[in-house]
Amino acid sequence: MRFATLKNGFKDGRLVLVSRDLTTCVSAGPMAPSLIHLMERWDELLPQLRQLDQRLQAGTAEGIQPLVPEQCAAPLPRSPQWCDASAFLNHGRLMERAFNTPPIPDFDTIPVMYQGASDDFLGPCDDVLLPSVQDGIDFEGEFGVIVGEVPMGALPQACLAAVRLIVQINDWSLRALGPREMRSGFGFLQAKPSTSFAPVAVTPDELGTAWCDGRVHLGLRVTWNGVHFGQAHGSEMNFGFGQLIAHAARTRRLTAGTIIGSGTVSNESSQRGSACIAERRVIEILETGAASTGFMQFGDHVSMQAVFDDGTDAPFGRVNQYVRQARP
């Protein structure tokens, strides 16, 4: 099944089921008025929602309406917890060079993860309001999962079974602020503004064989100001989502609706391009001795769309955002 959240003036929005061609939707209420409501009652509500989904796909459900991406919030507009990893080793090692930081101990055997803000996620077409271009504005394309309740100490296989939905993410970063916060030992705060999501969250079966070994085997096509930037592939995660969820749950239980991110999609071969500007800049430095690509300016536009290996669009829809200056 495919879910989206429409803006309705309330923080959690209105949950809808989405057709497989992403053109129409139908309200999931009153049985599931919001996605957080559904996450907390997943086993109870899923059979009824499957029946509604069958009617939607057949075109017989009552109240079918067009799905308008501009009217969509993030699928889960706010979450109990948002934890983002750096599961692509290539990206992590390049960032060590970018920030001139020593290698992270056990980086290839123990996941690296930070806890981000989860109270104000952005929708796929929301303007990204930021205070200054001097902060080094950067997009970061990733994949993520939304889980049901996970007990403390759960093993990776059990954690993988707790995955309810898969999402596509643009995890904004302010690169000029990151190094100081990393050196502090306390992790990111100002360097990580609100995270954006593609409009549609999908159950794992919607991806078919592209959901394998707890990894999203899809390309992530990124364009910046209309120019192709990269199409890195999600298959090269060093840690699958089962391992990432287990890492987050090692000393705490995870409540239903927790989101776990993969970190920036990155491949060892640079031929696919990158999913963030910082990575391209590091590659330029390594190849030519200097970075030639700047960070984003106000008025810049970024688009992200996951695609299957045959080139067809994946079912998340598209992130389609402009960066604007925040006004006092």
Side-chain angles (χ1 to χ4, degrees):
M1 289 185 291
R2 307 180 181 199
F3 297 94
T5 294
L6 301 183
K7 299 175 182 179
N8 66 351
F10 294 92
K11 289 184 178 179
D12 294 317
R14 178 168 66 94
L15 183 65
V16 295
L17 283 160
V18 179
S19 63
R20 287 195 170 83
D21 62 4
L22 306 190
T23 62
T24 60
C25 62
V26 66
S27 174
M31 68 181 91
S34 65
L35 186 54
I36 191 62
H37 181 98
L38 171 59
M39 297 306 301
E40 293 171 345
R41 298 163 179 81
W42 184 266
D43 292 335
E44 171 193 346
L45 297 176
L46 197 62
Q48 303 170 63
L49 289 172
R50 288 197 185 281
Q51 293 177 8
L52 177 59
D53 184 60
Q54 290 173 359
R55 296 196 298 274
L56 169 63
Q57 307 307 333
T60 59
E62 294 184 9
I64 294 177
Q65 64 183 83
L67 179 70
V68 181
E70 291 78 8
Q71 296 175 0
C72 291
L76 193 59
R78 54 178 177 168
S79 166
Q81 187 171 197
W82 154 235
C83 295
D84 197 21
S86 182
F88 291 87
L89 295 190
N90 182 66
H91 176 76
R93 287 169 176 151
L94 287 172
M95 290 304 99
E96 287 175 353
R97 297 184 185 184
F99 295 130
N100 194 28
T101 57
I104 298 172
D106 306 311
F107 184 52
D108 58 345
T109 57
I110 301 175
V112 173
M113 188 175 290
Y114 78 94
Q115 189 174 40
S118 61
D119 60 325
D120 185 34
F121 294 137
L122 299 179
C125 302
D126 291 346
D127 284 346
V128 182
L129 304 178
L130 294 169
S132 173
V133 295
Q134 301 305 313
D135 291 337
I137 302 168
D138 197 356
F139 49 80
E140 288 193 65
E142 340 185 341
F143 297 109
V145 296
I146 307 177
V147 301
E149 188 163 322
V150 178
M152 182 174 65
L155 297 177
Q157 196 60 35
C159 289
L160 195 57
V163 171
R164 300 291 180 255
L165 296 167
I166 303 170
V167 291
Q168 178 192 313
I169 298 168
N170 183 6
D171 185 41
W172 292 94
S173 287
L174 301 177
R175 298 298 188 184
L177 305 180
R180 187 197 64 79
E181 293 189 330
M182 292 175 70
R183 288 192 298 269
S184 75
F186 269 58
F188 295 122
L189 181 68
Q190 293 178 348
K192 284 293 185 180
S194 295
T195 301
S196 305
F197 289 76
V200 180
V202 307
T203 50
D205 58 290
E206 293 286 344
L207 297 186
T209 58
W211 173 247
C212 179
D213 298 326
R215 293 164 174 82
V216 179
H217 291 248
L218 297 173
L220 187 53
R221 183 184 297 146
V222 179
T223 64
W224 178 13
N225 291 333
V227 178
H228 179 77
F229 189 84
Q231 191 169 308
H233 201 270
S235 59
E236 290 187 24
M237 282 176 70
N238 186 58
F239 303 100
F241 277 107
Q243 294 166 288
L244 297 183
I245 299 164
H247 179 78
R250 183 177 180 272
T251 59
R252 68 179 81 175
R253 70 181 181 92
L254 306 182
T255 56
T258 293
I259 305 174
I260 305 291
S262 67
T264 305
V265 179
S266 180
N267 301 146
E268 187 172 352
S269 171
S270 61
Q271 293 182 350
R272 290 182 176 269
S274 300
C276 73
I277 301 170
E279 183 173 300
R280 174 181 279 190
R281 286 171 56 87
V282 176
I283 293 171
E284 291 169 346
I285 291 170
L286 295 175
E287 291 180 348
T288 69
S292 57
T293 301
F295 291 109
M296 299 186 80
Q297 301 295 310
F298 293 134
D300 279 7
H301 171 263
V302 65
S303 174
M304 296 181 182
Q305 169 73 66
V307 294
F308 289 103
D309 288 346
D310 64 3
T312 58
D313 291 344
F316 304 110
R318 186 186 300 271
V319 168
N320 196 32
Q321 294 183 289
Y322 286 88
V323 175
R324 311 288 189 191
Q325 184 169 21
R327 301 298 181 185

